[in-house]
Amino acid sequence: MQESEILSQMRQLVGEENLISSCSGEGCRVYLTDIPPERLIVDVDRLFDAHGLKSKRCDRFVLFTNLNKDSLVVVLIELKSGGFNTTDVFQQLQSSANFISDIIPRDCTTECIPILFHGKGMRKVQNTDLRRSEVLFRGEKVPIRRNNCGTQENLANVLRQAQVLS
């Protein structure tokens, strides 16, 4: 299978050395079941370090094409297996959204899906704060979606709800 033109371009822009094969990490398992096989998974720590960036960042980018909409899907993933601060999660996702938005060609139609994968426990106030938080991506506010670490098809389920997977 030949990689799409935009994914080939993104592969060059993020650098082969920053690509990995799994979304899991930080004690949190993310399943790639039903995710398009033609995809890029980026280790954002490596990518930011390579660019000399010290700002907050999420853990992973997953990039694939949505053939139904002829667009590039940009999934921002933050992994939290233990406790977390919702403000930090928002800042990590927003900083990462700003970075990836700047490197994607302007003429490319994109869809951004920020996701927090977390351990089973989440306080009510955290849930409320996350529901109110939206990441700004190319002038559009997008909600932060959530799912549990280790739940079967956790990534695919979120992407289906966001209507970027059939």
Side-chain angles (χ1 to χ4, degrees):
M1 176 187 304
Q2 183 160 344
E3 193 170 75
S4 73
E5 185 177 325
I6 187 60
L7 281 183
S8 293
Q9 191 173 8
M10 291 307 300
R11 178 182 294 278
Q12 291 177 344
L13 291 169
V14 300
E16 192 78 38
E17 67 279 6
N18 299 312
L19 299 178
I20 55 177
S21 59
S22 170
C23 286
S24 298
E26 313 297 323
C28 185
R29 175 128 171 116
V30 177
Y31 290 89
L32 296 172
T33 310
D34 293 338
I35 304 306
E38 186 181 328
R39 62 180 175 246
L40 302 177
I41 302 172
V42 181
D43 182 323
V44 182
D45 282 333
R46 281 192 219 165
L47 180 63
F48 271 46
D49 290 348
H51 285 269
L53 299 173
K54 302 296 181 201
S55 58
K56 293 186 181 226
R57 77 281 307 258
C58 66
D59 294 300
R60 308 280 185 265
F61 294 146
V62 178
L63 308 170
F64 63 91
T65 53
N66 180 341
L67 299 176
N68 295 332
K69 296 182 181 178
D70 195 28
S71 64
L72 176 69
V73 177
V74 177
V75 183
L76 311 173
I77 296 178
E78 178 56 26
L79 304 169
K80 299 289 186 191
S81 60
F84 61 89
N85 177 305
T86 53
T87 301
D88 286 342
V89 168
F90 168 76
Q91 290 172 347
Q92 290 169 295
L93 291 167
Q94 185 62 65
S95 175
S96 300
N98 295 343
F99 176 85
I100 194 73
S101 174
D102 287 345
I103 67 170
I104 296 171
R106 284 282 153 208
D107 63 348
C108 181
T109 303
T110 57
E111 300 174 76
C112 179
I113 313 294
I115 306 173
L116 166 65
F117 287 103
H118 58 85
K120 294 202 187 315
M122 185 186 301
R123 296 190 321 266
K124 186 176 181 179
V125 68
Q126 289 175 304
N127 196 24
T128 301
D129 287 348
L130 284 171
R131 286 186 193 276
R132 292 181 182 157
S133 298
E134 295 178 311
V135 170
L136 187 63
F137 184 82
R138 295 191 164 190
E140 182 182 337
K141 291 181 178 180
V142 290
I144 298 172
R145 297 174 183 273
R146 301 164 305 287
N147 207 325
N148 289 332
C149 297
T151 302
Q152 292 290 328
E153 296 187 19
N154 50 3
L155 180 55
N157 288 335
V158 173
L159 296 178
R160 282 187 200 104
Q161 289 171 354
Q163 299 178 354
V164 295
L165 281 185
S166 308

